[in-house]
Amino acid sequence: MSKAEERILIAKVLNGQTEAYRILVDRYHKGLVIYLVNLLGDEMQAEDIAQEAFLQAYRKLDSFDPAYSFSTWLYRIAMNMSLRYMAKNKPVLLHTDQSVSDAASLEESYDKQAARTAIRQAVRTLNPNYQQVINLYYWDGKSYEEIAQILGCPIGTVRTWLARSKQSLREELYGQI
């Protein structure tokens, strides 16, 4: 969705056509939840924070700056909520069940899951800023510019944090994967 389309929808919502907000929710809900699951490691909590972020964005829609995309603004709201949640609660490890029929597939699946789990656990040990750039860049496909807007920092800082986080992950995971 382009910024122009977002601005039109936001204008409609602000003019009383609240059903137009559903289009924004439908467009960004899945990606936001995936981002939050990667950040929090808890699908239910990710859903809760995503819903709260959409509600808060709706309530504060009149303060939205159209210089940014709606998704960037929404992710920033969700990130702040997540950081508050993580400050109050211990992190929860991601746990998934997979059923695979044959032994070869089971072993391969186990190895892949073990690698994913090791990577996610290693990411959770990083400085919170490094976690954010890894999540946003690799798991959500955000550009450096979008990450800088979401985190409220210069693009150079995003590049530095990404390089440092990758180096830390290399050191942490050396020989494990």
Side-chain angles (χ1 to χ4, degrees):
M1 181 177 298
S2 71
K3 283 185 185 180
E5 292 169 317
E6 288 177 350
R7 278 188 230 125
I8 291 168
L9 289 171
I10 290 168
K12 286 180 179 182
V13 174
L14 292 173
N15 286 325
Q17 296 176 15
T18 57
E19 68 279 355
Y21 194 67
R22 169 51 68 198
I23 297 168
L24 292 169
V25 172
D26 290 344
R27 171 67 177 96
Y28 296 116
H29 181 263
K30 183 178 178 181
L32 182 61
V33 170
I34 291 169
Y35 164 71
L36 293 170
V37 167
N38 287 327
L39 180 63
L40 300 167
D42 181 331
E43 191 172 344
M44 289 178 56
Q45 190 59 43
E47 277 288 347
D48 288 347
I49 289 177
Q51 287 178 8
E52 284 297 317
F54 277 111
L55 286 171
Q56 186 173 347
Y58 179 80
R59 285 186 213 115
K60 296 184 177 190
L61 201 55
D62 59 339
S63 68
F64 171 70
D65 182 354
Y68 301 106
S69 71
F70 178 79
S71 67
T72 301
W73 185 62
L74 177 66
Y75 274 58
R76 177 76 179 199
I77 291 169
M79 180 197 68
N80 288 337
M81 291 177 155
S82 297
L83 292 175
R84 284 191 297 274
Y85 170 79
M86 289 188 300
K88 293 179 184 176
N89 301 283
K90 288 187 174 186
V92 178
L93 294 178
L94 180 65
H95 182 64
T96 60
D97 292 328
Q98 265 182 325
S99 63
V100 181
S101 58
D102 64 287
S105 293
L106 182 58
E107 185 176 336
E108 182 180 324
S109 175
Y110 176 79
D111 289 344
K112 286 180 181 179
Q113 182 63 32
R116 280 192 294 268
T117 300
I119 291 168
R120 289 180 192 267
Q121 287 176 343
V123 168
R124 287 192 186 106
T125 66
L126 296 174
N127 168 306
N129 292 325
Y130 296 177
Q131 289 180 40
Q132 291 291 324
V133 295
I134 290 290
N135 289 336
L136 290 166
Y137 187 76
Y138 287 105
W139 294 331
D140 294 334
K142 299 288 184 191
S143 69
Y144 285 179
E145 292 80 12
E146 289 173 311
I147 295 170
Q149 291 172 354
I150 290 168
L151 299 179
C153 65
I155 292 173
T157 302
V158 170
R159 286 188 180 106
T160 300
W161 287 349
L162 192 57
R164 289 179 182 167
S165 63
K166 288 191 296 189
Q167 180 59 38
S168 294
L169 288 173
R170 269 189 227 104
E171 292 169 5
E172 177 78 21
L173 296 170
Y174 180 76
Q176 290 184 34
I177 299 179

